[in-house]
């Protein structure tokens, strides 16, 4: 009888695109083959707190933007689309960084639950 440690056959999930990733030869992947996210870095879940001026904004959803948390068009060809939102008056906002909020793009505290 063979005993395997828990999680050996459990598929890895990309924190960015949420696709299931199979291990290759029993070794977990280091880069997501779909969205190219570095899987060796522990994703941050705390909200991104910013003071924003009135205007229209695009929140990056692909994780490739060099102007995070805002979209710079790096998602082109990936199938991802940025999340548009409007700020009507200057204020401090908390943008979700865990992907669990029910009030996207704003944090609702889901990361702490």
């Amino acid at each position: 009888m063979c005993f395997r440690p828990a999680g050996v056959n459990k598929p890895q999930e990309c924190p960015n695109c949420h696709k299931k990733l199979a291990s290759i030869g029993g070794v977990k992947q280091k880069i997501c083959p779909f969205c190219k996210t570095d899987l060796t870095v522990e994703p941050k879940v705390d909200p991104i707190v910013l003071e924003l001026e009135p205007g229209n904004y695009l929140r990056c959803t692909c994780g490739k933007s060099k102007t995070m948390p805002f979209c710079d068009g790096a998602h082109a060809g990936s199938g991802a689309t940025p999340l548009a939102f409007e700020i009507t008056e200057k204020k401090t906002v908390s943008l979700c960084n865990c992907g669990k909020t029910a009030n996207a793009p704003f944090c609702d505290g889901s990361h702490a639950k």
Side-chain angles (χ1 to χ4, degrees):
M1 190 177 274
C2 177
F3 292 96
R4 295 182 193 186
V8 166
N9 288 330
K10 183 178 179 185
Q12 188 176 4
E13 182 178 313
C14 175
N16 186 41
C17 69
H18 303 288
K19 296 202 181 204
K20 302 287 186 209
L21 310 173
S23 297
I24 299 173
V27 178
K28 290 188 173 190
Q29 296 188 38
K30 295 182 180 183
I31 301 286
C32 175
F34 302 103
C35 68
K36 307 302 181 209
T37 297
D38 182 351
L39 301 173
T40 63
V41 177
E42 189 67 33
K44 293 181 181 179
V45 295
D46 292 334
I48 300 166
V49 180
L50 301 167
E51 186 171 351
L52 296 178
E53 296 288 336
N56 293 310
Y57 295 88
L58 293 173
R59 172 70 163 103
C60 173
T61 60
C62 76
K64 297 178 185 178
S65 177
K66 290 186 177 28
T67 59
M68 288 298 271
F70 303 108
C71 176
D72 68 358
H75 65 277
S78 71
T81 55
L83 180 61
F85 67 99
E86 181 181 11
I87 299 296
T88 56
E89 60 188 49
K90 182 177 180 176
K91 64 180 172 179
T92 300
V93 297
S94 296
L95 299 179
C96 176
N97 204 27
C98 74
K100 297 178 184 175
T101 186
N103 189 29
F106 306 105
C107 176
D108 67 1
S110 294
H111 64 278
K113 296 176 185 172

